[in-house]
DNA sequence: AAATGTTAACTAACCATTTAGTTAGTTATC
DNA sequence: GATAACTAACTAAATGGTTAGTTAACATTT
């Protein structure tokens, strides 16, 4: 297999990869084009050749990441009790994606975010699932969208705000001990919430 | 009352005020010293005179804000049912402080954050309160620190990630309609959680 | 109470780097 | 031989930080 010395796809991929790391760590304002070029082992001008501008690169990055996340989201366990834990595992692997949307949150000004309609639509099946379970009595009746938002909050917050996690629980998010504790807690939480007050402990 | 043309305290205050707005909006990397100087109506050199460096200014700002927040935190309603709603109201007024800690979260690298010990200590009474209520059977028995973390998550997340709020619920966080809906939901949520499954609706 | 000296608040202009973005030219690939 | 991938060097603007000098405010002396 011959290594081509010039390969647009490979170059673009390398740039995106480096840009991901850079934007992830420093955000739009803190990210440095030179650093991305170095990191990718690519001449800076190529970045402008393929992605117009810093913002253009950022946008390309977001939509690329979006399609990637979309695939993972495809199948969520129907069994309600495990859904929280599942999301948590997912979210941990996705800590990077979370950082990206945190930057997005800080830049949020009311204007539609990247692919907002599409992303919004992706939540609908989950919300519908909740509504379903409420009508069959498996979940208490309440606003299903609010409930969905709350689940996401419970799983995401400790990772998004690691300093709070440590100040409140005394453990670091990355600490396996915390992960286990949180997982156990969320199971318990779900049980209490669905009415099985005396499961486990 | 005579207006002094030179007044260190007033100048420092003006700088901090402008710095607050600037850092809030743009974060450490995005903030511009020149802009802060202009906004404060103060010569740039004064900023360096009073606060050494950009980072020095940021630090001063954080500890100033900290003491301010500390006062508000002083009294939290003991009645558990209203605690969520209370925190929510508080958090809304505190949306700015939330932005600041969001930047803090992104910069978090495991090292202690500003005044970490002190801030951590401030959570203890709340956690103790939960433990108390668990022992008297008013709350289901579970890890109280994890539960505290969860309450904060439920209240904070929708504000910290407004794009998720909109994508999931279809409403904007600032929309009074959303506020009401969230408040109502959280009450209901707390009721379900504490075992009163059929209160209200 | 006026004159004087001292301190530090304040300013305008400047400096050394950094930064996003460009350009003119070279060369691999088809 | 044409095209487009790629490079090195460059530019203009912005940026954090400095400096040398000015002056308001206050204390001390006369």
């Amino acid at each position: 297999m011959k290594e081509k010395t010039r390969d647009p796809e490979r170059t673009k991929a390398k740039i995106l990869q480096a840009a991901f790391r850079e934007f992830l760590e420093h955000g739009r304002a803190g990210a440095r084009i030179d650093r991305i070029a170095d990191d990718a082992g690519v001449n800076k001008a190529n970045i402008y050749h393929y992605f117009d501008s810093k913002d253009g690169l950022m946008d390309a990055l977001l939509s690329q990441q979006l399609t990637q996340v979309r695939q993972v989201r495809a199948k969520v366990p129907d069994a309600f009790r495990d859904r929280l834990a599942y999301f948590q595992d997912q979210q941990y692997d996705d800590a990077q994606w979370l950082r990206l949307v945190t930057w997005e949150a800080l830049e949020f000004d009311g204007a539609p975010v990247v692919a907002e309609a599409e992303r919004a639509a992706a939540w609908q099946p989950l919300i519908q699932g909740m509504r379903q379970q409420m009508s069959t009595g498996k979940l208490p009746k309440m606003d299903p969208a609010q409930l969905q938002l709350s689940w996401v909050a419970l799983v995401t917050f400790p990772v998004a705000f690691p300093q709070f996690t440590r100040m409140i629980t005394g453990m670091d998010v990355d600490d396996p001990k915390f992960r286990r504790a949180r997982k156990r807690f969320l199971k318990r939480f779900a049980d209490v919430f669905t009415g099985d007050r005396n499961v486990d402990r």
Side-chain angles (χ1 to χ4, degrees), chain A:
Chain A
M1 197 170 277
K2 203 160 50 189
E3 275 282 307
K4 277 188 280 188
T5 58
R6 290 178 181 201
D7 182 342
E9 292 314 312
R10 181 174 42 121
T11 303
K12 273 191 271 187
K14 281 197 297 181
I15 293 174
L16 280 174
Q17 223 178 312
F20 183 64
R21 282 192 291 267
E22 181 72 8
F23 279 114
L24 206 83
E25 182 137 4
H26 301 106
R28 246 200 184 87
R32 294 294 166 247
I33 297 285
D34 282 309
R35 216 150 41 193
I36 294 174
D38 278 2
D39 191 12
V42 153
N43 189 285
K44 183 165 63 153
N46 281 321
I47 295 177
Y48 288 93
H49 179 56
Y50 291 118
F51 307 98
D52 289 345
S53 65
K54 198 183 184 182
D55 283 340
L57 178 56
M58 183 68 169
D59 288 349
L61 186 80
L62 279 175
S63 55
Q64 184 225 29
Q65 284 297 311
L66 250 184
T67 54
Q68 216 159 308
V69 169
R70 214 174 300 148
Q71 294 161 354
V72 176
R73 280 288 155 71
K75 63 271 180 192
V76 182
D78 267 0
F80 176 79
R81 192 172 185 272
D82 300 315
R83 193 175 273 183
L84 277 178
Y86 168 84
F87 262 123
Q88 185 185 281
D89 289 342
Q90 213 49 56
Q91 207 65 54
Y92 270 119
D93 297 337
D94 260 5
Q96 299 176 317
W97 168 250
L98 180 55
R99 272 187 78 91
L100 227 49
V101 298
T102 305
W103 290 112
E104 186 182 64
L106 282 170
E107 284 164 7
F108 186 76
D109 61 351
V113 293
V114 185
E116 174 158 336
E118 203 182 344
R119 290 159 76 186
W123 289 106
Q124 284 312 310
L126 296 180
I127 297 173
Q128 273 304 325
M130 296 225 151
R131 202 188 306 275
Q132 186 73 27
Q133 300 197 39
M134 286 178 194
S135 67
T136 61
K138 284 187 171 177
L139 272 179
K141 291 193 189 354
M142 54 206 321
D143 184 330
Q146 293 281 349
L147 187 55
Q148 180 61 48
L149 182 62
S150 304
W151 288 148
V152 179
L154 287 175
V155 169
T156 304
F157 185 85
V159 187
F161 293 86
Q163 80 271 46
F164 278 76
T165 299
R166 191 165 71 192
M167 289 189 285
I168 293 176
T169 72
M171 288 181 283
D172 277 298
V173 214
D174 313 308
D175 188 344
K177 220 166 87 183
F178 174 80
R179 292 197 188 201
R180 278 197 303 274
R182 186 77 188 158
K183 200 167 187 170
R184 206 152 16 94
F185 171 82
L186 287 178
K187 272 224 170 87
R188 170 89 176 122
F189 192 94
D191 285 337
V192 168
F193 190 75
T194 52
D196 312 330
R197 310 200 82 67
N198 300 310
V199 195
D200 279 332
R201 73 176 53 206

